[in-house]
Amino acid sequence: MSALLQPAPEAGYRYHVELIDRREVEKPTPKKLHTWIQVYLIVALAKILPEAFEPLSELDVLTGAQTPDGRREYICPDVQVASRTAKYEEGMLAEPPVLGIEILSPGQTITELFGRADRLVKLGVSSVWVIWPEKRRAWQVGPARIDEATTKLSFRLSAGTEPEYLDIHLPEMWKVLDRPE
């Protein structure tokens, strides 16, 4: 069915499908806390990233794998940071972003999010942040490591880049969740 002919998300359809491990996987529709954290991170990263990088929201990343019927597999992090010179194919990022961010949504488990982070790391993403807004917890995931962040989330862009390290301070990020409903 054409996307234009599908019922609206309110009718029970999910807004995004990923193609992972030769099957379509529905990505849950984000709710309020997820969206607040996502917007905060995009704005905060846009302010501190060097000009050579950009924050991106909900952009498909090709994994390099294909289904038996020839469709290209892709995963869609909630937020990512990519080089402004990154390669794209059919509107999808064709190389790993430098940072991936996964934010827990209703309908997901924290175990699923760590699995997504692991998949992104295996794809070549050097650091993935996993964020659980309701519990105000965050982790940094990289090759062979998972570290819980208590005061800040950090990541290294690359040697020789100014600034080389970027930090998002968690108390400031959690404040966006304190606004009245």
Side-chain angles (χ1 to χ4, degrees), residues 65 75 80:
I75 188 168
Q80 56 203 294

Side-chain angles (χ1 to χ4, degrees), residues 43-148:
V43 171
L45 288 166
K47 288 179 182 176
I48 62 175
L49 281 167
E51 186 62 32
F53 297 91
E54 60 186 338
L56 302 166
S57 174
E58 305 285 344
L59 184 67
D60 294 334
V61 179
L62 293 168
T63 66
Q66 287 190 338
T67 63
D69 63 359
R71 293 183 296 164
R72 300 167 84 182
E73 291 192 5
Y74 54 89
I75 188 168
C76 182
D78 294 313
V79 177
Q80 56 203 294
V81 171
S83 166
R84 289 190 187 272
T85 61
K87 293 181 179 101
Y88 290 84
E89 294 177 16
E90 300 174 20
M92 294 183 270
L93 195 56
E95 59 189 51
V98 296
L99 172 68
I101 303 173
E102 291 290 347
I103 305 165
L104 191 70
S105 293
Q108 289 178 308
T109 67
I110 197 66
T111 302
E112 289 171 335
L113 242 55
F114 280 116
R116 293 176 61 78
D118 184 57
R119 181 177 299 280
L120 287 165
V121 168
K122 287 177 180 170
L123 186 61
V125 180
S126 60
S127 184
V128 180
W129 296 347
V130 173
I131 300 171
W132 192 350
E134 292 79 5
K135 300 282 185 183
R136 295 179 189 226
R137 293 181 72 186
W139 295 265
Q140 297 180 155
V141 179
R145 70 173 176 80
I146 298 175
D147 300 315
E148 185 163 7

